[in-house]
């Protein structure tokens, strides 16, 4: 139940809950673990393969993009943020920067492989996920920001809401 509230902050999962409530509960149970991080701890580093998507349940973190790109900046990452969300939809996502806990953090860790394995078992939800992933991939291909310079933390939840509606209506 605690995880469900955070999951529903993302349009894809909110729509899944609306249409396939039982499946989402099972998905959450199988795919998410909670992790507590002490202040000043490195959560991940640039170039690391993303095995989980982090949802910040409590606390604050600091994110720094790859310093070799012209898009480098430090970003405060707060409660409710989804970190490395594109990894759910795009293969072989590598972390685009460093994430450091600025306070004690409570993280919900969504395992990408478990998510993908579970969602494809559910025919209609799997098709929906594929359509949603296709829309994310198209957005990335049309972005003005080069793929290598994309961020782990700058997620456009409004665009994801449009994708969630579009993917379901196809």
């Amino acid at each position: 139940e605690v995880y469900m509230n955070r999951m529903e902050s993302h349009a894809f999962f909110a729509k899944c809950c609306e249409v396939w409530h039982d499946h989402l509960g099972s998905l959450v149970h199988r795919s998410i673990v909670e992790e507590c991080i002490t202040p000043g701890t490195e959560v991940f580093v640039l170039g690391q393969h993303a095995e989980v998507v982090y949802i910040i349940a409590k606390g604050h973190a600091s994110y720094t993009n790859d310093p070799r790109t012209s898009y480098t900046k430090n970003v405060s990452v707060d409660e409710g943020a989804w970190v490395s969300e594109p990894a759910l939809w795009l293969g072989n996502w590598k972390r685009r920067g460093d994430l450091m806990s600025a306070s004690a953090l409570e993280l919900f860790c969504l395992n990408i492989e478990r998510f993908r394995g579970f969602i494809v078992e559910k025919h209609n939800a799997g098709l929906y996920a594929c359509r949603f992933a296709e829309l994310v991939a198209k957005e990335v291909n049309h972005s003005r920001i080069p793929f290598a310079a994309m961020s782990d933390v700058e997620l456009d939840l409004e665009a994801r809401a449009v994708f969630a509606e579009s993917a379901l209506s196809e």
Side-chain angles (χ1 to χ4, degrees), residues 7-8 16 20 31 47 56-57 67 69-70 97 102-103 105-106 108 120 140 144-145 156 164:
M7 297 296 289
E8 289 180 27
C16 280
W20 303 286
S31 304
I56 299 185
T69 71
S70 59
S103 69
L105 282 179
E106 182 181 331
F108 296 160
V120 298
V140 167
R144 293 181 191 168
I145 300 172
D156 183 351

Side-chain angles (χ1 to χ4, degrees), residues 79-129:
E79 287 183 21
W82 286 68
V83 181
S84 299
E85 180 268 358
L88 289 173
W89 320 112
L90 307 172
N92 298 318
W93 183 264
K94 296 207 185 294
R95 308 289 186 185
R96 302 306 206 249
D98 301 325
L99 186 70
M100 176 80 69
S101 60
S103 69
L105 282 179
E106 182 181 331
L107 301 173
F108 296 160
C109 308
L110 174 58
N111 183 287
I112 295 163
E113 290 306 313
R114 286 187 194 152
F115 163 76
R116 289 177 181 164
F118 180 85
I119 204 77
V120 298
E121 290 175 5
K122 310 302 176 201
H123 180 71
N124 289 336
L127 290 173
Y128 174 58

